[in-house]
Amino acid sequence: MPPNTTASTGQQPGKSGRKKGRGARLIVFVLVLAIIGGVAYGAYWSISTVRASFPQTKGSITLDGLSGPVDVKRDGYGIPQVYASSDEDLFMAQGFVQAQDRFYEMDVRRHMTSGRLSEMFGKSQVDNDEFLRTLGWDRIAREEYDSKLSDETKTYLQAYAKGVNAYLEGKDGEDISLEYAALGFTNDYKPAKWTPVDSVSWLKAMAWDLRGNMEDEIDRALMTSRLGPQQIAELYPQYPYSRNKAIVQEGQYDELTGAWTQGDSGTGTDTGTGTGTEGSTGGVGTDPSGTDPLGTSTGSTDALQTQLGGLYGLLEDLPTAVGVNGNGIGSNSWVVGGAHTISGKPLLANDPHLSASLPSVWYQMGLHCRSVSEKCQYDVAGYTFAGLPGVIIGHNQDISWGMTNSGVDVTDLYLEKLTGEGYQYDGKVVPFTTREETIKVAGGASKRIVVRETNNGPLLSDRDDELVKVGKKATVDTAAPDRGDGYGIALRWTALEAGTTMDAVFAMNKAADWDDFRAAAALFEVPSQNLVYADTDNNIGYTLPGKIPTRAKNHDGSIPAPGWDAKYRWTGYIEQDELPYEYNPERGYIVTANQAVVGKDYPYTLTTDWGYGTRSQRITDLIESKIKGDGKISTDDMRQMQMDNSSEIAKLLVPQLLKIDVGDKDVRAAQKLLEGWDYTQDADSAAAAYFNSVWRNILKLSFGNKLPKELRVKGQCLWVDPVNTTGPADEVEKVRECGQRDAEQAQPDGGDRWFEVVRNLMDDKDSDWWTTPRSGTRPPASANRDDLFKRALIDARWELTAKLGKDIDTWSWGRLHRLFLKNQTLGTSGPGFVQYVLNRGPWKLSGGEATVNATGWNAAGGFGVVWVPSMRMVVNLDNLDKSQWINLTGASGHAYNAHYVDQTDKWANGELLPWAFTDKAVDDSTSDTLVLKP
């Protein structure tokens, strides 16, 4: 029976970057037909469809399966706090409420994770589905559910699914969301029931977007077509330990016991080979013997470039799940102990940096047992994902926790020697593991594919014609097997093995102390995250969980490896008690912002590609400056730190830029904007606008124009010397090469790796990187650093003149640096009417790349906002009701609902909302109450 509605909704309509690719194109013909239909059904669209799916938030609803009544209390922003008397009722109600607000989003996500987007959107999604079926997220999630997860977790997942299905029962598409009405014009798609595996699969999507250094692994190999090993090493410099602190500073690895312990500093010194070998945290990443196992630095690498370029194309086209497909993802989280706070108890801040989406990837919620007992164990609030029970980041009555991406390397690409019967391994031919997948296509015929796997993982090269070409041409060393019919590429990834992360979510939600939290974190296998901790007993901590592979000393995971050679196989996984952690460090605070976790004395290679610590060190400096002289930090101090806009690269470059004699009065007028600038990137700052344009042009001139076409922006063309040419340069006929990468993924992206590259070159004024050739009628070629800086100052002046006008008094960073929020399916392309209905923006933002307020932009592609602090929170462990939070958008996924984007203005301005937690505080903030009855 459908739910029995006994009161009507209390809601009224309110006022109110995602890259291109297959995931963004979601069949324009659907939209066209939707608009045609909209002309005929104008009244239907404007009244019935827009409002039909708004959730009921007052009165009562009867749900079969509840054992007792559940109260759903929403505040003025529509954020729900759920109160129940049993665990099963609590999670059933969570499923029902999230489906009320976000079911369309949940449905798209589960079709993505299971490789079934074509069932909703037609043939344009077949390539994406083929790739996702090859990865097999849904298959691994089912294995986790069947064999890995605890009975308790399964019970909660079943209860959650029951709640979602209670919402769906008796509803047509237009009753669920406006988007289904648009889809209904072209196909007869009907949402299916929710299953527990649908929830588990979403964790795989989260892991994919936080998977580590796969893009860097590809980029390093692609660079070999135009750059030598030393040049590549200069573009991947060592982590600057002497300047930017690692996360863990007061712990050490005991080689005798094989365990990590609290103790003296384990940070290490700024020494090492610089080659990305065992124990290093940067560099180009070659075999310690000095050889390249694939021969990629020694000659004809055209095929490898083609194959890896094709793979990157596949990665670009996949729909964004949580982030920008692993590229540029970061986060801030830090905790300050009570000795340094006004309240005398810890403060914990977190703001994960992910790609902007509408609705936000996060869903704010409180889950409360009326009385915590064995029957009902939870009293927790925070951020979760629509489609997933429990809370991912937040606090309960005793502890709080935050997350940042650790960046550890849990993926490796393997070049495989294929034959008709299988693949070569250790001198023998091994049969493939195969499975057949059938892809159903809305409005078309189904398609069957065969997925082949080696002992390293699925063959990604089976999914794209470009990926096949490498085996026909690729140069490898003399020990490699004969190329025969070619080589393929396989992926080894920890998330393709069944794990227990869903168990970890519930265990963290009810953890009462540090020991409970550490035990819960040990279950958090994929993705590996930096976890910061604080509790009401005045303790703070950090732990690195995750299933992290160990590799032989000849392989550090920084470049693709030969799959036929057993010495490049993973050797195991780091034991949990060997992973770094810190508890109540003497300094009284812990900062994680994607920097190095540990120093070089740690015996395992966690990654060769940390973030370079620009944000983490800035946060550390802000904390130190506040507590110096026994100063105390407040909740609002933490908020202000989250909004810090200071540009570290500007501090380095501006003093040199001001020394350049530009001559031209218009360029000089722009240059003068930098005089007296405090390096903060406020939205109304003309200096920030000009500096960031100068920075963009410095990168383009010195590095971008020297990179291979596979890394440059699609459509941007250069006349270059052909690869592998010989003879005098003036006798070589140049060829025209056009970039091939999406603007939001191209290089140089301008992040803090490029900060470090430029910093290392600043004193070498005559480095080849600073030279540029003459191009047509452009100014003369630069021969040194100052020449190139002058050229960048000039180019930036005319770039901003074209974009913002000649009058520099009208310039501002926010006019360039804008955020558009787009519905991630029907709002990304197609007729303007649908985009107008579903999308919002723009917002003029402050902040920038590698600032604490990390409103990221890609310097190769433009100034638009690519990723953002997807939420912000500050938890006060002295009084949880004094905690504060904000989301990027709002609670609702329904266009024109009052809570669609009602938090975005405050988010853009750096404001936080009160975060009620205790019964009284929640009651005081409640606007609507809905009772779910059995």
Side-chain angles (χ1 to χ4, degrees):
M1 295 292 293
N4 178 26
T5 301
T6 58
S8 62
T9 177
Q11 301 284 12
Q12 294 295 325
K15 297 180 181 179
S16 334
R18 165 79 176 100
K19 61 184 179 293
K20 298 177 183 177
R22 286 188 290 267
R25 290 194 295 266
L26 295 181
I27 58 173
V28 172
F29 77 87
V30 168
L31 303 175
V32 174
L33 292 178
I35 298 307
I36 293 172
V39 173
Y41 295 97
Y44 176 80
W45 271 82
S46 62
I47 300 174
S48 177
T49 304
V50 171
R51 299 180 58 181
S53 57
F54 288 3
Q56 178 179 331
T57 60
K58 293 181 179 180
S60 65
I61 297 177
T62 298
L63 298 185
D64 289 340
L66 287 176
S67 63
V70 177
D71 296 328
V72 181
K73 302 179 181 181
R74 293 180 183 259
D75 67 10
Y77 287 87
I79 300 170
Q81 305 277 348
V82 180
Y83 290 83
S85 298
S86 73
D87 290 338
E88 290 88 342
D89 284 355
L90 190 66
F91 294 117
M92 181 178 176
Q94 183 182 15
F96 181 86
V97 171
Q98 287 189 341
Q100 280 187 304
D101 284 330
R102 301 279 194 95
F103 182 77
Y104 177 77
E105 174 194 4
M106 293 162 59
D107 199 18
V108 171
R109 283 180 179 174
R110 66 167 166 175
H111 279 78
M112 181 188 70
T113 58
S114 59
R116 296 187 296 118
L117 286 167
S118 300
E119 294 179 17
M120 293 184 74
F121 303 109
K123 63 182 180 181
S124 70
Q125 295 303 297
V126 169
D127 287 349
N128 279 335
D129 284 346
E130 288 185 20
F131 189 80
L132 293 165
R133 295 285 184 97
T134 300
L135 289 174
W137 294 347
D138 189 61
R139 182 176 58 88
I140 302 300
R142 184 167 298 281
E143 182 182 344
E144 287 185 3
Y145 181 78
D146 290 340
S147 63
K148 286 287 188 178
L149 299 180
S150 69
D151 290 341
E152 183 178 65
T153 294
K154 290 180 183 178
T155 297
Y156 298 159
L157 288 166
Q158 291 163 3
Y160 181 90
K162 187 187 298 183
V164 175
N165 293 329
Y167 167 77
L168 293 176
E169 194 168 357
K171 289 183 172 65
D172 294 325
E174 61 268 22
D175 300 323
I176 298 171
S177 184
L178 176 66
E179 291 90 337
Y180 288 119
L183 289 177
F185 287 115
T186 57
N187 64 54
D188 57 357
Y189 172 80
K190 300 293 182 186
K193 288 187 175 182
W194 193 264
T195 73
V197 174
D198 292 335
S199 294
V200 180
S201 293
W202 179 238
L203 290 174
K204 299 300 176 186
M206 182 174 71
W208 177 255
D209 279 343
L210 303 174
R211 63 193 175 272
N213 75 335
M214 185 187 295
E215 281 74 14
D216 287 315
E217 191 173 338
I218 295 169
D219 283 357
R220 274 188 286 263
L222 290 171
M223 286 179 182
T224 60
S225 67
R226 288 207 168 272
L227 304 177
Q230 180 58 38
Q231 291 173 306
I232 297 173
E234 289 173 346
L235 299 187
Y236 287 88
Q238 289 286 297
Y239 185 87
Y241 284 105
S242 60
R243 189 174 68 254
N244 296 340
K245 302 290 186 183
I247 296 172
V248 175
Q249 301 173 41
E250 298 177 29
Q252 64 185 28
Y253 182 81
D254 190 326
E255 294 187 8
L256 294 177
T257 63
W260 185 269
T261 61
Q262 294 290 120
D264 295 331
S265 174
T267 302
T269 57
D270 198 10
T271 61
T273 64
T275 59
T277 58
E278 186 70 28
S280 74
T281 54
V284 63
T286 57
D287 189 301
S289 67
T291 63
D292 182 342
L294 300 181
T296 55
S297 62
T298 58
S300 61
T301 57
D302 290 349
L304 184 61
Q305 315 312 309
T306 301
Q307 174 141 357
L308 293 176
L311 174 58
Y312 209 108
L314 281 173
L315 301 181
E316 283 186 341
D317 284 344
L318 287 180
T320 297
V322 186
V324 192
N325 286 334
N327 206 8
I329 290 178
S331 300
N332 301 321
S333 191
W334 67 95
V335 59
V336 179
H340 300 310
T341 68
I342 289 175
S343 69
K345 291 289 181 72
L347 294 169
L348 185 150
N350 197 187
D351 55 288
H353 307 155
L354 304 171
S355 56
S357 61
L358 180 60
S360 167
V361 69
W362 298 109
Y363 185 90
Q364 297 154 285
M365 199 170 201
L367 301 171
H368 307 277
C369 289
R370 293 190 177 95
S371 177
V372 176
S373 64
E374 185 175 344
K375 179 182 179 182
C376 198
Q377 305 173 72
Y378 296 88
D379 189 16
V380 62
Y383 297 84
T384 188
F385 300 123
L388 200 71
V391 168
I392 301 298
I393 294 173
H395 70 81
N396 62 26
Q397 68 271 35
D398 299 310
I399 74 165
S400 178
W401 67 96
M403 297 184 187
T404 63
N405 192 23
S406 70
V408 299
D409 187 0
V410 295
T411 61
D412 277 344
L413 296 173
Y414 285 91
L415 200 65
E416 302 282 7
K417 172 63 180 81
L418 309 180
T419 70
E421 294 75 31
Y423 59 97
Q424 189 163 320
Y425 179 71
D426 248 4
K428 299 178 181 179
V429 175
V430 181
F432 296 111
T433 300
T434 62
R435 52 188 162 88
E436 188 176 277
E437 300 275 353
T438 300
I439 299 171
K440 298 179 181 179
V441 182
S446 297
K447 182 175 183 180
R448 292 185 179 182
I449 64 169
V450 174
V451 176
R452 300 188 294 175
E453 296 189 7
T454 73
N455 58 358
N456 288 311
L459 279 170
L460 304 186
S461 50
D462 282 352
R463 301 282 74 89
D464 192 284
D465 291 340
E466 289 296 306
L467 301 183
V468 178
K469 296 179 183 178
V470 64
K472 299 183 183 300
K473 301 179 182 177
T475 297
V476 292
D477 64 23
T478 56
D482 182 78
R483 64 169 53 93
D485 293 331
Y487 300 109
I489 282 186
L491 171 68
R492 183 80 188 269
W493 178 32
T494 54
L496 298 183
E497 303 170 26
T500 57
T501 300
M502 198 68 240
D503 284 340
V505 172
F506 296 114
M508 283 193 293
N509 283 191
K510 61 184 178 183
D513 55 29
W514 173 246
D515 290 339
D516 285 352
F517 185 74
R518 283 266 291 163
L523 300 170
F524 204 100
E525 293 186 341
V526 177
S528 176
Q529 296 286 285
N530 296 313
L531 299 179
V532 294
Y533 166 94
D535 64 36
T536 56
D537 289 332
N538 215 358
N539 300 299
I540 64 173
Y542 162 86
T543 190
L544 175 70
K547 194 171 188 177
I548 303 172
T550 56
R551 300 171 175 89
K553 290 188 176 181
N554 61 298
H555 176 40
D556 67 2
S558 62
I559 57 175
W564 52 81
D565 192 336
K567 70 182 181 181
Y568 291 94
R569 293 273 293 167
W570 290 358
T571 58
Y573 300 96
I574 303 176
E575 297 292 335
Q576 287 295 314
D577 61 359
E578 297 179 283
L579 291 171
Y581 72 90
E582 247 184 3
Y583 186 58
N584 289 330
E586 184 177 347
R587 65 188 180 278
Y589 62 86
I590 300 170
V591 175
T592 79
N594 317 113
Q595 79 271 39
V597 171
V598 288
K600 295 182 180 181
D601 54 353
Y602 187 64
Y604 299 106
T605 298
L606 296 176
T607 185
T608 60
D609 295 294
W610 303 117
Y612 281 79
T614 303
R615 282 179 288 109
S616 63
Q617 193 57 44
R618 176 62 179 172
I619 295 166
T620 297
D621 292 344
L622 291 170
I623 293 172
E624 288 282 356
S625 66
K626 189 69 179 179
I627 66 179
K628 189 175 182 179
D630 201 31
K632 301 295 183 180
I633 294 176
S634 68
T635 301
D636 196 60
D637 290 331
M638 301 284 273
R639 180 195 66 82
Q640 291 185 49
M641 292 178 193
Q642 289 178 326
M643 294 304 297
D644 182 78
N645 293 324
S646 176
S647 171
E648 297 303 301
I649 191 62
K651 294 177 185 177
L652 175 70
L653 291 180
V654 166
Q656 297 301 322
L657 294 173
L658 289 175
K659 296 177 182 178
I660 305 297
D661 183 4
V662 293
D664 184 289
K665 64 181 180 61
D666 289 319
V667 179
R668 174 61 184 145
Q671 185 186 34
K672 290 185 68 175
L673 291 172
L674 305 179
E675 296 177 0
W677 179 41
D678 62 359
Y679 311 122
T680 59
Q681 299 171 97
D682 296 330
D684 60 359
S685 170
Y690 182 58
F691 171 77
N692 282 317
S693 181
V694 173
W695 170 237
R696 165 175 149 83
N697 279 280
I698 287 174
L699 291 172
K700 178 181 178 182
L701 293 167
S702 53
F703 309 106
N705 290 349
K706 300 179 178 74
L707 294 177
K709 61 182 181 298
E710 292 88 355
L711 275 68
R712 300 201 313 268
V713 175
K714 190 180 301 180
Q716 290 186 3
C717 303
L718 299 171
W719 289 95
V720 300
D721 293 333
V723 176
N724 298 325
T725 54
T726 59
D730 57 359
E731 296 180 6
V732 175
E733 184 175 349
K734 293 184 180 294
V735 297
R736 189 171 186 262
E737 280 190 355
C738 298
Q740 297 180 353
R741 188 166 288 183
D742 184 271
E744 294 180 4
Q745 302 286 310
Q747 293 293 338
D749 61 21
D752 68 352
R753 173 164 67 87
W754 295 100
F755 290 13
E756 197 65 19
V757 169
V758 170
R759 185 187 298 275
N760 290 343
L761 291 171
M762 283 295 287
D763 292 336
D764 186 2
K765 298 181 181 180
D766 297 317
S767 167
D768 287 344
W769 289 112
W770 300 127
T771 64
T772 61
R774 184 187 301 272
S775 178
T777 59
R778 304 286 292 179
S782 64
N784 54 49
R785 185 197 69 186
D786 290 350
D787 282 353
L788 187 139
F789 282 6
K790 180 177 181 178
R791 168 95 169 261
L793 287 162
I794 295 169
D795 288 356
R797 175 35 158 139
W798 302 120
E799 178 177 44
L800 293 198
T801 297
K803 290 181 178 295
L804 302 179
K806 186 174 181 179
D807 184 357
I808 62 175
D809 291 336
T810 67
W811 290 2
S812 71
W813 177 225
R815 287 181 61 195
L816 292 172
H817 193 53
R818 298 187 299 167
L819 170 67
F820 291 86
L821 292 175
K822 294 185 177 182
N823 176 288
Q824 289 302 288
T825 57
L826 303 184
T828 56
S829 63
F833 171 76
V834 169
Q835 295 191 40
Y836 175 81
V837 168
L838 297 176
N839 299 339
R840 299 293 183 270
W843 283 266
K844 299 176 181 179
L845 296 189
S846 59
E849 184 63 40
T851 64
V852 181
N853 181 23
T855 55
W857 56 287
N858 186 300
F863 301 100
V865 177
V866 178
W867 56 84
V868 295
S870 55
M871 61 81 159
R872 299 186 185 98
M873 74 175 194
V874 179
V875 179
N876 185 323
L877 276 300
D878 177 60
N879 184 338
L880 293 169
D881 289 329
K882 291 185 178 179
S883 303
Q884 297 180 340
W885 60 354
I886 197 77
N887 206 351
L888 172 62
T889 60
S892 180
H894 301 289
Y896 294 106
N897 183 278
H899 306 305
Y900 192 47
V901 289
D902 59 338
Q903 297 184 50
T904 308
D905 285 347
K906 291 182 178 297
W907 171 91
N909 292 329
E911 300 176 47
L912 298 176
L913 300 175
W915 182 354
F917 180 71
T918 64
D919 292 351
K920 183 179 185 305
V922 170
D923 285 342
D924 289 346
S925 66
T926 296
S927 295
D928 294 347
T929 299
L930 174 69
V931 179
L932 305 177
K933 295 182 176 180

